[in-house]
Amino acid sequence: YAHPNVSLRFDSVVSVKAGKLAMHHFSGGNEQFYYTARYLEMNRVSAPSGGAWEMINPKSGYIIIRNSNMGPYTAVGANTPWVYATNSTFYNAGNGVMLTGKLVNCSGSVWSGGKQPLVIEGGNYTEISFRPGGTIKASKANITYLLLSDRGNAFEGEFDNCSIGEIQDSNTDKGKIVLRNTTVKNNRSSRPKLFVVQ
């Protein structure tokens, strides 16, 4: 447990027997301390048991994540984690994998969401999903499944020089996907007007 106003720097940390959460912020009226920590940095961080790392944005802006294998966790009432991540793998450890910010050469599963866009440069992803809504700008990424599950919210996606195995669509009639020099093997969307191919 850590208070959300505490600045944290993890280096080569493995949470061995975490239950639901590998890191958790004290709750119960501490919202006034959200976004006041100076920094949150994680390098070579993991939880082999699948525990999640609860993250609250520091006042410096980005949460820095490097060379890690982790399930991000969004605290109730807190903004979607705003990260700058490199060479890391993300997975769903309980309440999704919603991220904003920038991912460079990362992998695994990520969802959009929040007020900031999610920028993806390179990497190999099993799943990229629009939940709930959000904006994704991806380039030079390999994506197995692209899920357009916007839950009624408008969404926007731009994919430049990407490879997409399959697009699955929840048919909620909002959103726009721009594909530039991007291959799609199987498009299961029934809404051709969603897509702009350039």
Side-chain angles (χ1 to χ4, degrees):
Y1 283 96
H3 285 289
N5 62 328
V6 175
S7 301
L8 299 168
R9 181 176 291 124
F10 296 96
D11 193 349
S12 305
V13 175
V14 176
S15 180
V16 178
K17 292 186 179 180
K20 181 177 180 180
L21 296 174
M23 181 176 76
H24 183 43
H25 290 286
F26 281 107
S27 55
N30 282 326
E31 289 83 2
Q32 69 269 25
F33 297 121
Y34 283 4
Y35 325 118
T36 61
R38 288 182 295 141
Y39 53 82
L40 173 55
E41 298 177 8
M42 302 173 145
N43 183 40
R44 292 188 296 271
V45 168
S46 66
S49 63
W53 298 82
E54 185 176 68
M55 296 184 285
I56 295 176
N57 300 328
K59 66 181 178 181
S60 62
Y62 287 112
I63 298 165
I64 304 296
I65 302 172
R66 298 184 184 97
N67 311 306
S68 295
N69 186 334
M70 65 186 325
Y73 194 88
T74 305
V76 174
N79 292 334
T80 302
W82 190 29
V83 306
Y84 183 87
T86 55
N87 304 314
S88 296
T89 299
F90 297 97
Y91 58 86
N92 187 349
N95 74 339
V97 276
M98 279 198 293
L99 296 170
T100 60
K102 189 172 187 178
L103 311 181
V104 179
N105 294 324
C106 291
S107 60
S109 177
V110 294
W111 301 358
S112 69
K115 298 176 182 178
Q116 302 293 329
L118 177 62
V119 176
I120 296 169
E121 293 183 358
N124 297 290
Y125 294 87
T126 54
E127 172 192 332
I128 293 179
S129 182
F130 290 90
R131 293 187 185 182
T135 301
I136 295 175
K137 296 183 178 181
S139 62
K140 299 180 180 177
N142 297 312
I143 304 158
T144 303
Y145 292 103
L146 178 62
L147 305 176
L148 309 183
S149 47
D150 59 358
R151 298 186 183 181
N153 294 303
F155 61 90
E156 292 184 13
E158 294 181 16
F159 297 86
D160 295 319
N161 296 290
C162 293
S163 173
I164 301 173
E166 184 172 317
I167 297 176
Q168 295 184 357
D169 192 348
S170 64
N171 295 312
T172 52
D173 296 323
K174 294 183 180 180
K176 179 181 177 183
I177 301 294
V178 176
L179 303 173
R180 294 187 186 96
N181 300 314
T182 293
T183 60
V184 178
K185 291 182 181 177
N186 189 359
N187 186 351
R188 294 183 179 266
S189 174
S190 61
R191 300 180 289 169
K193 291 182 180 179
L194 274 180
F195 298 91
V196 177
V197 180
Q198 297 179 345

